[in-house]
Amino acid sequence: MSDTGAGWSTSDRAPAAIKLMLAWVALLWLLEVVDVATGHALDGFGVTPREPSELADVVPSAFIHFGFAHLAANTVPLLVLGFLAALTGLRRFLLVCALIVVVDGLGVWLVAPDRTNTAGASGLIFGLFGFLLVSGFVERRPWGVLAGVLIAAVWGGSILAGLAPTQTGVSWQGHLIGLLAGVAAAFLFRRRPRQGRAPLAP
């Protein structure tokens, strides 16, 4: 799927992508300031598994963090991966993010351990990593393939570490589900090659 400006070049999309991701991250930091100022009242918007009322928190949980250190750890990868994904088209990017956030939140609600509270943008980050990793291959775009290889080289180790079940205080389930949702989004929202005009016989 493409934006309304189907003919936009990457340089045209870059300023809009930068503004979008800066605004997104600014919102996360503002919410954490409010959370701290209210005695962590927003932490309740995390997902506690298998409680029907918690389904309302599936989307909000992706915007809430448990402290500034948690948010700081997510800020740079979200900025970079979000910017790169948004370069493929803003409308497409928002659809990809919506799919990842909803699938990840529902997955956490279904499979996370009892009496846990899961929140943060890391599920989305893992999803964007998965999306960028495979979309170039799915669409057979050389630059997309190269971007996926470079992203894997930079963040692959951190992604693998985040999937380890042995880590305490980390929702590896949310990371894994987010990653799989991002891979699925690469297939669901892949860009079709444009059909060229049929040649005319003289």
Side-chain angles (χ1 to χ4, degrees), residues 94-167:
L94 293 175
L95 288 171
V96 168
C97 288
L99 176 70
I100 294 169
V101 167
V102 171
V103 171
D104 186 55
L106 289 174
V108 166
W109 184 84
L110 283 170
V111 305
D114 290 334
R115 295 183 296 277
T116 56
N117 185 23
T118 303
S122 57
L124 175 58
I125 291 167
F126 275 68
L128 291 173
F129 175 88
F131 171 76
L132 290 167
L133 185 66
V134 305
S135 61
F137 293 94
V138 170
E139 298 170 6
R140 299 182 180 180
R141 290 183 294 110
W143 286 110
V145 172
L146 178 60
V149 171
L150 291 175
I151 289 167
V154 174
W155 272 293
S158 298
I159 293 296
L160 288 175
L163 297 175
T166 55
Q167 292 193 76

Side-chain angles (χ1 to χ4, degrees), residues 30-191:
L30 175 61
L31 288 172
E32 188 55 32
V33 169
V34 172
D35 185 44
V36 171
T38 57
H40 300 286
L42 299 185
D43 288 356
F45 287 98
V47 173
T48 300
R50 294 170 293 282
E51 293 186 13
S53 62
E54 290 294 302
L55 288 171
D57 295 334
V58 161
V59 173
S61 65
F63 296 85
I64 304 301
H65 289 80
F66 300 131
F68 288 112
H70 183 202
L71 176 54
N74 284 338
T75 293
V76 172
L78 180 61
L79 272 174
V80 176
L81 297 178
F83 169 73
L84 293 175
L87 286 179
T88 68
L90 295 185
R91 192 180 78 167
R92 181 196 194 201
F93 169 71
L94 293 175
L95 288 171
V96 168
C97 288
L99 176 70
I100 294 169
V101 167
V102 171
V103 171
D104 186 55
L106 289 174
V108 166
W109 184 84
L110 283 170
V111 305
D114 290 334
R115 295 183 296 277
T116 56
N117 185 23
T118 303
S122 57
L124 175 58
I125 291 167
F126 275 68
L128 291 173
F129 175 88
F131 171 76
L132 290 167
L133 185 66
V134 305
S135 61
F137 293 94
V138 170
E139 298 170 6
R140 299 182 180 180
R141 290 183 294 110
W143 286 110
V145 172
L146 178 60
V149 171
L150 291 175
I151 289 167
V154 174
W155 272 293
S158 298
I159 293 296
L160 288 175
L163 297 175
T166 55
Q167 292 193 76
T168 58
V170 174
S171 176
W172 67 268
Q173 298 94 338
H175 293 170
L176 177 59
I177 295 166
L179 179 65
L180 295 176
V183 172
F187 286 90
L188 288 172
F189 300 119
R190 65 186 180 276
R191 292 182 294 190

